[in-house]
Amino acid sequence: MEPIISIKGLSKKYGDKIVLQNINLEVEPGQIIGYIGPNGAGKSTTVKVLTGIIQDYEGEVTVMGRKLADNLMEIKGKVGYIPELAELYDLLTPREYLTFTGRLYHLSNDVIEDRSRRMLESFGLLANIDQRMDSFSKGMRQKVLITSGLLHNPEIVFMDEPLSGLDANAVILIKELLQALKQEGKTIFYCSHMMDVVEKVSDRIVLISNGMILANGTIDELRQNNGDTLEQIFSRLTSAGGFTQKADDLAAAMKENFTAQ
């Protein structure tokens, strides 16, 4: 089966800082890929390359059988991107924002209206569809953002910390949504720090640190080689450990008293 995403020799620098180092990765259609790593590991940079936001990189990226650099607008029209933080134009209502987003993807007004209402109703936000978003909580904004990323029914969905700010019920809903999208043949590229969610929903897990892939496999394959839980695997491969001592040191620092000289 031809991979729906193929990354060969992907590298990226910001000045002298190396963010990605020779990333090689293939993703099969219909898979949920858990893409995890510490802060600054290169997760968001990878996603921004794959969604066409970052275009100055080394290496070759192919999406849906087409070279990304040569087919950028066509590919952008078939993928969805849900970042952790994004500007939502606070003075707009969800209806206005989703209409704006839908028209960018050349959806008809009827399709935009129908999908917006149904998706916002699932998120419990239908009553707020005409309310300005400057009064929305972070979780409400995130639900609108998720809706906008899925509105055009993309073939590939890139999620970068999509659960940020969501309550427990919304997190459960997103986990169920991921499985529903998978059943429809969608491919999900999922970045998160929430190890329990990644472990439960991912077909394959890719662990990246310092811009390099350290592990790539199913959770069972990673357990065989590195540990019992994804959290343990993550810790072992990306940290020097000693968390108990570090926690004790932090607590002690809070109680330290100093006499002004």
Side-chain angles (χ1 to χ4, degrees), residues 200-230:
K200 290 175 182 176
V201 306
S202 302
D203 296 304
R204 296 188 70 82
I205 296 169
V206 179
L207 196 161
I208 181 175
S209 183
N210 295 319
M212 298 181 291
I213 292 177
L214 301 185
N216 179 3
T218 65
I219 184 61
D220 288 337
E221 289 170 345
L222 298 185
R223 279 176 179 151
Q224 280 185 349
N225 297 324
N226 298 294
D228 296 324
T229 68
L230 184 56

Side-chain angles (χ1 to χ4, degrees), residues 128-190:
N128 308 97
I129 192 170
D130 292 314
Q131 180 181 342
R132 280 185 11 176
M133 292 187 289
D134 58 354
S135 63
F136 280 19
S137 67
K138 180 172 173 47
M140 293 170 72
R141 292 166 182 261
Q142 192 66 10
K143 291 173 183 178
V144 175
L145 192 61
I146 292 170
T147 300
S148 71
L150 300 176
L151 192 66
H152 58 298
N153 192 26
E155 290 299 312
I156 307 173
V157 182
F158 295 96
M159 295 183 166
D160 192 357
E161 298 291 350
L163 306 183
S164 178
L166 296 183
D167 58 47
N169 287 332
V171 170
I172 294 171
L173 175 58
I174 295 301
K175 289 163 63 176
E176 294 295 328
L177 174 62
L178 291 175
Q179 294 302 324
L181 294 174
K182 178 184 173 181
Q183 291 299 317
E184 294 179 3
K186 309 294 186 186
T187 303
I188 314 295
F189 199 94
Y190 184 91

